[in-house]
Amino acid sequence: MSMTSRRGLLARSAGAVALTLAPSSCAATVNTPRERALIAADGRVDWDALRAQFRLERGWVNLALFYLASHPEAVRDAVDHLRAQADANPLSVPTGMALPDGPTGWPRVRESLAAYMGGRAEDIAMTASTSIGLGVVYNGVVTRPGQEFLLTEHDHVSHRTAARLAAEKHGNKVRQVSWFSDPATATADGIAAAVGEVIRPNTRVVGITWVQSSTGLRMPVRAVAEVVRRANEGRSPADRCLLVVDGVHGLAAVDEDAAGLGADVVIAGTHKWLFGPRGTGLIWVAPDVLEQLRPTFVSFISGAAAAPLSPGGFLAFEHAFALPVAVALHEQLGRARVATRITQLSTRVKQGLSRIRGVTVHTPADPELSAGITCFSVAGHTHQQVVDHAAADNVRLSTSTFTRIGTAVINTPAEIDTALNSLADLTG
Ligand SMILES: Cc1ncc(COP(=O)(O)O)c(C=O)c1O
């Protein structure tokens, strides 16, 4: 079946899920998608109807929704539905559970993800988070002592720590380099050239982040993959340099097939932009590098290819097996429409911030080099002071290296303006 027709099928089943799930006893019942269509007759998404699915605290502007998903109603209902089955008959897990529209389990979860992100279901391993996925991958890469992993300070602590812990165990090194001196002025060509310059014959992994949560910069993964491909010419499989991508802030924020970026491995939590159940994530492995990765844990997912990489044991199956509902919701919204909405909102953020005195935006203005996270500083104020000031105005921001505004599809232009006004007040 072609990618397009698989997508169509999933989108139709998304509608079916939204229509047939029984409302949970505690779910909000007004303005839910069952009464209010998410897609209007003219094909546009009714973003307010989507927003009505979430139980976000009223009276607050939340611009940190990329941190951990608030469950939309469709996901809450699916989790409730599955929990009831697990509680009634724990023996029904992990093979006998069903969503209202049919059986669910690992095969359905992996097939729905493959239809959404490209690639084959068998090349997807399941994890409970990005961090666990990163640990599985760095521990699992077959290395020789003396080989190195290349990362930067801008990669998440989970990524850097996974690489360090694995390197310490296996006699490898982590070399921390830089792809740019200033994220705001970085270019795709400059980043790709920087990667090309630092790869050495003993480089086993180039670890990058699709969208950096520390800078908001979106890495030009395809261009980097091409540089890595050239560096691999003439190398044996054991010497091959693998491109490992922490994809968590690109998946469901950028309109690209994560499995088609040219990376060897993509790891992503599905509990952030995808609005998947909390405690869910994936590892996609290119078929031609599967042999370069060894499992670390027993897997409870049967099958070959990437399945054995999935950390096993009994898990929160009511969450794991509800993931196809979140994917279906995104299929219904449309990946391109979601990405466009996120870009529109983050562009509004960047333009507004650049008009506020004393504010420096660190994320590139170019939508091709950014996504839904905008990082900035305010002269004379620490990042925590900026977050605290915004919180006093009931605006939730977050910090890592810089202060961050995250724009999810369910945020609104008015919310962004509220945040910008609060920041303008801070600087006077
Ligand atoms: C870039 C990046 N990678 C990894 C993580 C860890 O994600 P998880 O909570 O899924 O382990 C985060 C956390 O937000 C992140 O920003």
Side-chain angles (χ1 to χ4, degrees), residues 3 13 16 23 29 45 59 81 96 128 183 190 193 241 244 272 328 361 364 382 384 387 417:
M3 188 75 68
S13 78
T29 51
V45 177
H81 191 81
C241 173
V244 171
K272 295 187 196 282
V361 179
T382 66
Q384 194 55 53
V387 168
D417 294 346

Side-chain angles (χ1 to χ4, degrees), residues 66-68 128-134 154-159 209 211-214 246-249 268-272 280-281 373 404:
F66 61 89
Y67 191 69
L68 187 58
S129 67
T130 324
S131 304
I132 293 174
L134 288 161
H154 298 301
D155 300 304
H156 193 264
V157 64
S158 296
H159 197 165
T209 305
V211 179
Q212 298 178 343
S213 51
S214 54
D246 171 350
V248 68
H249 296 299
T270 44
H271 53 190
K272 295 187 196 282
T280 58
I373 300 176
R404 305 181 294 187

Side-chain angles (χ1 to χ4, degrees), residues 370-401:
S370 57
I373 300 176
T374 302
C375 298
F376 64 98
S377 309
V378 181
H381 299 274
T382 66
H383 297 298
Q384 194 55 53
Q385 283 171 339
V386 178
V387 168
D388 292 344
H389 169 85
D393 286 337
N394 283 19
V395 175
R396 292 202 163 105
L397 305 182
S398 67
T399 60
S400 69
T401 312

Side-chain angles (χ1 to χ4, degrees), residues 136-380:
V136 165
V137 168
Y138 280 92
N139 267 287
V141 180
V142 179
T143 57
R144 282 198 308 274
Q147 288 184 317
E148 66 171 18
F149 304 145
L150 274 188
L151 283 97
T152 71
E153 63 169 320
H154 298 301
D155 300 304
H156 193 264
V157 64
S158 296
H159 197 165
R160 287 180 282 124
T161 307
R164 179 178 59 76
L165 294 175
E168 283 168 5
K169 268 187 228 159
H170 302 132
N172 305 121
K173 288 199 185 73
V174 176
R175 186 156 55 101
Q176 201 162 290
V177 291
S178 297
W179 310 134
F180 45 78
S181 51
D182 176 2
T185 56
T187 63
D189 287 350
I191 291 171
V195 175
E197 276 162 26
V198 295
I199 295 178
R200 294 176 181 162
N202 68 334
T203 306
R204 183 57 162 145
V205 171
V206 172
I208 65 171
T209 305
W210 192 357
V211 179
Q212 298 178 343
S213 51
S214 54
T215 67
L217 180 135
R218 166 157 45 131
M219 286 288 282
V221 182
R222 276 207 185 79
V224 172
E226 177 53 23
V227 167
V228 173
R229 191 195 61 73
R230 283 205 298 273
N232 278 328
E233 280 171 7
R235 290 196 190 196
S236 68
D239 285 320
R240 180 172 168 174
C241 173
L242 304 176
L243 179 60
V244 171
V245 177
D246 171 350
V248 68
H249 296 299
L251 188 77
V254 174
D255 184 22
E256 299 256 21
D257 276 352
L261 294 170
D264 294 304
V265 180
V266 178
I267 300 135
T270 44
H271 53 190
K272 295 187 196 282
W273 299 85
L274 191 68
F275 301 139
R278 291 180 285 272
T280 58
L282 64 89
I283 305 168
W284 172 85
V285 185
D288 61 334
V289 301
L290 265 169
E291 282 190 0
Q292 305 299 317
L293 293 177
R294 295 281 182 272
T296 299
F297 299 91
V298 60
S299 170
F300 279 24
I301 301 184
S302 58
L309 293 170
S310 314
F314 288 146
L315 305 172
F317 290 110
E318 62 268 50
H319 278 216
F321 294 167
L323 188 50
V325 172
V327 176
L329 177 65
H330 270 265
E331 294 276 6
Q332 194 182 11
L333 298 171
R335 206 174 63 186
R337 285 185 295 218
V338 164
T340 301
R341 166 90 172 174
I342 289 171
T343 301
Q344 282 167 351
L345 294 172
S346 65
T347 300
R348 190 181 188 95
V349 168
K350 286 178 216 165
Q351 289 174 347
L353 287 174
S354 66
R355 285 194 288 267
I356 301 176
R357 198 159 46 88
V359 169
T360 305
V361 179
H362 302 290
T363 304
D366 182 355
E368 290 293 317
L369 283 177
S370 57
I373 300 176
T374 302
C375 298
F376 64 98
S377 309
V378 181

